[in-house]
Amino acid sequence: MEIKIETGGLRLDKALSDLTELSRSLANEQIKSGQVLVNGQVKKAKYTVQEGDVVTYQVPEPEVLEYVAEDIPLEIIYQDEDVAVVNKPQGMVVHPSAGHTSGTLVNALMYHIKDLSGINGVLRPGIVHRIDKDTSGLLMIAKNDDAHLALAQELKDKKSLRKYWAIVHGNLPNDRGVIEAPIGRSEKDRKKQAVTAKGKPAVTRFQVLERFGDYTLLELQLETGRTHQIRVHMAYIGHPVAGDEVYGPRKTLKGHGQFLHAKTLGFTHPRTGKTMEFTSEIPDIFKETLEKLRNN
């Protein structure tokens, strides 16, 4: 596979990792073994790429992933023949992927819920939407394909209710507001999302729940569901989510990742047409941190 460097200045291993699907370690392995060529020549990892350089690398063979049912504790808020609602703990990946072949929500679902929709394939059974590994909270699960199609369409039509609680840096000037800024893959770092003119429309509504001077507790409502949407939007307006190691500052609240919790979930039941709404408690670390902020 070939790529052309548009902006120089990075080390070869860093550029290769940022601009391709290769991890930094895999990029280094290929460079050391001579599989990476710059303008037809072997270079070391520390080589500084120049604008116009043509880099050739090897596309790795796709990893064959399988999932198995695992007896992992899982809080099921609601379940019937069509849908389930689960409360995902912080630190749990939603579905298997390279590097996360076990211990995921899907592994737990396969153990606790026997019937799951197959629309998203064998690696994402029942998964209608996702939240990040270090985001906790509510997810809707489809138990058959008809339910999956109905729930996915409702999400697409922006009719589902998804409200989050987050602790963010700083003291917002307004008690409520709307962030409307397109989100897409970052042009500077392919592993990140960013507000970019080339992105897809993204809308986040927020309301201040409590102020702590250097931090603010917000309720946020998603109208769209872009990857990392809340985290990117809050960083964009200068109030990143506390604990966010990717989009936030290094000096932040200590926890187990970002202080972001999917607290309220609402949707129309695909069979009955009834409006369903669920809420969940914030994690203990979230509660403890709020108490510390109040006492200080």
Side-chain angles (χ1 to χ4, degrees):
M1 184 69 71
E2 248 184 29
I3 57 169
K4 187 173 183 179
I5 302 299
E6 295 182 359
T7 304
L10 292 178
R11 284 172 52 109
L12 176 59
D13 55 351
K14 179 72 164 59
L16 195 58
S17 175
D18 287 353
L19 298 174
T20 72
E21 70 276 25
L22 300 182
S23 66
R24 187 76 174 265
S25 60
L26 187 53
N28 268 293
E29 286 178 17
Q30 287 202 14
I31 292 168
K32 288 179 181 178
S33 62
Q35 297 179 72
V36 176
L37 301 178
V38 180
N39 303 323
Q41 297 181 342
V42 174
K43 298 289 185 181
K44 293 185 177 180
K46 64 181 181 180
Y47 168 78
T48 302
V49 297
Q50 307 296 318
E51 181 180 350
D53 278 351
V54 176
V55 180
T56 307
Y57 69 100
Q58 299 297 315
V59 178
E61 290 293 325
E63 183 179 354
V64 178
L65 300 174
E66 296 180 355
Y67 68 90
V68 295
E70 296 179 25
D71 185 6
I72 301 169
L74 181 64
E75 184 180 2
I76 301 174
I77 304 293
Y78 173 83
Q79 182 178 191
D80 61 27
E81 62 182 322
D82 298 298
V83 300
V85 176
V86 300
N87 189 23
K88 185 189 83 69
Q90 190 176 38
M92 176 183 276
V93 174
V94 169
H95 59 77
S97 62
H100 296 284
T101 55
S102 65
T104 74
L105 177 64
V106 162
N107 296 113
L109 287 173
M110 292 304 299
Y111 182 89
H112 294 283
I113 301 177
K114 301 306 177 185
D115 299 315
L116 293 167
S117 70
I119 285 178
N120 276 341
V122 296
L123 294 182
R124 303 180 187 182
I127 302 299
V128 181
H129 63 130
R130 294 177 291 173
I131 55 179
D132 300 330
K133 173 188 174 184
D134 290 329
T135 298
S136 56
L138 299 178
L139 283 168
M140 63 179 86
I141 304 299
K143 297 183 67 176
N144 55 66
D145 288 357
D146 287 341
H148 194 130
L149 289 172
L151 294 173
Q153 187 61 48
E154 189 169 58
L155 278 170
K156 185 178 180 180
D157 293 340
K158 304 176 185 177
K159 294 180 179 178
S160 300
L161 177 65
R162 288 171 293 166
K163 290 184 177 180
Y164 290 69
W165 275 21
I167 302 174
V168 302
H169 282 267
N171 196 342
L172 278 76
N174 302 309
D175 287 340
R176 63 182 67 236
V178 180
I179 307 168
E180 190 168 357
I183 292 177
R185 190 178 297 278
S186 170
E187 296 177 6
K188 297 180 180 179
D189 186 342
R190 285 175 56 85
K191 295 183 177 65
K192 291 184 179 181
Q193 300 296 304
V195 170
T196 170
K198 298 179 182 178
K200 294 181 179 180
V203 181
T204 305
R205 297 183 179 274
F206 69 85
Q207 179 178 345
V208 172
L209 298 179
E210 206 167 345
R211 297 179 185 275
F212 309 106
D214 292 335
Y215 296 94
T216 304
L217 174 65
L218 297 180
E219 180 180 76
L220 304 112
Q221 183 171 339
L222 292 179
E223 287 194 11
T224 54
R226 308 302 172 206
T227 302
H228 301 171
Q229 179 171 317
I230 289 175
R231 298 164 63 192
V232 171
H233 269 174
M234 295 314 300
Y236 177 67
I237 67 169
H239 298 278
V241 177
D244 190 338
E245 296 180 354
V246 177
Y247 300 102
R250 290 185 178 181
K251 187 177 181 181
T252 187
L253 298 177
K254 293 182 179 180
H256 306 306
Q258 62 264 9
F259 285 86
L260 182 60
H261 176 73
K263 198 172 196 309
T264 303
L265 177 65
F267 56 88
T268 303
H269 194 282
R271 186 183 297 271
T272 68
K274 179 182 177 182
T275 298
M276 314 285 284
E277 187 170 320
F278 305 90
T279 60
S280 63
E281 289 293 320
I282 54 177
D284 289 342
I285 186 67
F286 205 128
K287 292 179 184 177
E288 293 165 6
T289 302
L290 284 178
E291 285 305 310
K292 289 178 182 177
L293 289 171
R294 289 171 184 139
N295 293 333
N296 287 339

